[in-house]
């Protein structure tokens, strides 16, 4: 199923705002459901080196792996690729007077952050998925 207005597939997980508010903290709701941004440098995963999988904090879908995480020194966790090509949805974001590309969880359409290209980081994709820590839940490798 596809949303007629955006061409983006409909989310598999659909909850009302009230249901999301029951499931998420106010800070999580502000970022994940209202496209907010946590302050730079405060997120729990900004500098973590723990091996594992990063899931969507809202729905639990796998999004990123520690093997694609790198230190960008931008104040948020950075990844050069999602764990699977269909794990995230990219859509244009022209808010705040700038052109960016928003990253959404493909499973529940929660806001994760933005992806930037061509910044010169020495990564295989030349991309930086700049993701809010509060949008993620790290499941450490065993």
């Amino acid at each position: 199923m596809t949303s007629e207005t955006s061409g983006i597939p409909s989310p598999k997980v659909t909850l009302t705002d009230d249901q999301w508010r029951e499931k998420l903290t106010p800070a999580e709701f502000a970022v994940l459901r209202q496209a907010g941004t946590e302050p730079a440098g405060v997120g729990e995963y900004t500098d973590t080196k723990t091996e594992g999988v990063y899931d969507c904090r809202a729905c639990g879908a796998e999004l990123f792996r520690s093997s694609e995480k790198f230190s960008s020194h931008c104040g948020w966790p950075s990844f050069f690729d999602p764990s699977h090509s269909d794990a995230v949805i990219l859509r244009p974001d022209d808010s705040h007077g700038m052109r960016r590309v928003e990253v959404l969880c493909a499973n529940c359409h929660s806001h994760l952050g933005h992806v930037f290209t061509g910044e010169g980081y020495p990564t295989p994709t030349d991309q930086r998925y700049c993701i809010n820590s509060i949008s993620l839940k790290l499941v450490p490798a065993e």
Side-chain angles (χ1 to χ4, degrees):
M1 183 181 275
T2 301
S3 170
E4 291 182 26
T5 58
S6 67
I8 294 175
S10 298
K12 293 175 187 157
V13 175
T14 56
L15 300 176
T16 66
D17 279 350
D18 286 341
Q19 290 170 319
W20 283 120
R21 280 187 178 92
E22 288 176 22
K23 182 177 173 79
L24 303 170
T25 67
E28 291 167 350
F29 184 84
V31 172
L32 287 156
R33 304 308 305 168
Q34 297 178 313
T37 301
E38 68 188 348
V42 302
E44 66 181 304
Y45 303 127
T46 301
D47 297 317
T48 192
K49 306 271 190 241
T50 303
E51 287 188 28
V53 174
Y54 290 87
D55 292 343
C56 176
R57 192 173 296 249
C59 73
E62 181 179 313
L63 300 171
F64 300 95
R65 293 181 176 263
S66 59
S67 55
E68 281 73 44
K69 189 172 189 286
F70 70 101
S71 295
S72 67
H73 308 288
C74 71
W76 293 274
S78 296
F79 303 85
F80 61 80
D81 215 11
S83 63
H84 303 287
S85 60
D86 61 351
V88 299
I89 294 170
L90 306 179
R91 78 172 172 195
D93 177 4
D94 294 326
S95 65
H96 305 292
M98 62 184 111
R99 176 156 291 218
R100 298 179 293 175
V101 178
E102 182 181 18
V103 181
L104 303 171
C105 171
N107 198 50
C108 69
H109 289 199
S110 287
H111 173 79
L112 304 173
H114 292 88
V115 62
F116 303 94
T117 303
E119 296 179 314
Y121 288 104
T123 62
T125 63
D126 198 26
Q127 292 182 314
R128 176 174 58 95
Y129 285 79
C130 183
I131 306 298
N132 292 286
S133 282
I134 202 167
S135 297
L136 303 171
K137 182 173 191 269
L138 174 60
V139 180
E142 294 187 22

